[in-house]
């Protein structure tokens, strides 16, 4: 059973890992192909010249999204039924991420012409990888 302090420490580690990995994922210096795909899609959706440059248009919304993702991940992977093995963490985190990222990307593909299915599949796979690896690392470091 995970104590309250272990859950808080795990959540902190998971949050740091997700933020670092997503920063690298969206960084045009580290990952220009992916960054370009998102930039092209965002530009075609916004299609205005007075928009701020870069991918992050509304930082408060991004903060809310990350808090919601982290809260759900920690709750469903670690709190509701504490894991007993690394496989438990990997499978639960992957299923949670597949649900969250899958719904988000399928909805975007359905309602936005510029949101290509290829981008939806890549982003969903990335979300599953990020959530699974961050949750597993957090769990292993706080066991």
């Amino acid at each position: 059973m995970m104590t309250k302090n272990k859950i808080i420490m795990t959540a902190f580690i998971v949050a740091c890992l997700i933020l670092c990995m997503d920063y690298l994922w969206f960084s045009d210096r580290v990952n220009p192909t992916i960054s370009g795909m998102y930039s092209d899609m965002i530009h075609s959706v916004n299609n205005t010249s007075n928009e701020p440059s870069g991918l992050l248009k509304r930082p408060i919304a991004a903060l809310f999204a990350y808090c919601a993702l982290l809260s759900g991940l920690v709750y469903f992977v670690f709190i509701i039924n504490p894991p007993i093995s690394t496989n438990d963490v990997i499978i639960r985190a992957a299923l949670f991420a597949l649900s969250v990222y899958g719904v988000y990307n399928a909805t975007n593909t359905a309602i936005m012409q510029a949101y290509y299915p290829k981008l939806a599949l890549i982003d969903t796979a990335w979300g599953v990888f990020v959530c699974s690896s961050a949750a597993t690392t957090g769990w292993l470091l706080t066991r």
Side-chain angles (χ1 to χ4, degrees), residues 6-7 12 15 24 26 36-38 41 46 51 60 67 81 89 91-92 94-95 103 120 127 129 131 133 141 143:
K6 278 190 177 185
I7 291 171
F12 178 76
L24 293 174
F26 289 115
M37 288 175 68
Y38 285 104
M41 185 271 306
N46 290 332
E51 284 288 323
I60 300 299
C67 288
N81 185 16
V89 175
I91 291 168
R92 291 177 194 178
L95 289 173
V103 168
F129 170 76
C131 288
S133 59
L141 290 175
R143 280 184 8 170

Side-chain angles (χ1 to χ4, degrees), residues 78-101:
F78 300 109
I79 295 175
I80 198 167
N81 185 16
I84 57 171
S85 71
T86 304
N87 283 344
D88 282 349
V89 175
I90 294 169
I91 291 168
R92 291 177 194 178
L95 289 173
F96 175 78
L98 182 62
S99 298
V100 170
Y101 283 84

Side-chain angles (χ1 to χ4, degrees), residues 27-94:
S27 172
D28 59 348
R29 282 172 266 171
V30 176
N31 201 348
T33 303
I34 295 299
S35 179
M37 288 175 68
Y38 285 104
S39 292
D40 292 346
M41 185 271 306
I42 289 170
H43 178 69
S44 69
V45 170
N46 290 332
N47 206 10
T48 60
S49 59
N50 60 353
E51 284 288 323
S53 64
L55 292 176
L56 188 59
K57 307 297 184 198
R58 294 186 177 115
I60 300 299
L63 178 64
F64 176 77
Y66 277 104
C67 288
L69 179 68
L70 180 65
S71 299
L73 187 62
V74 169
Y75 181 75
F76 288 109
V77 175
F78 300 109
I79 295 175
I80 198 167
N81 185 16
I84 57 171
S85 71
T86 304
N87 283 344
D88 282 349
V89 175
I90 294 169
I91 291 168
R92 291 177 194 178

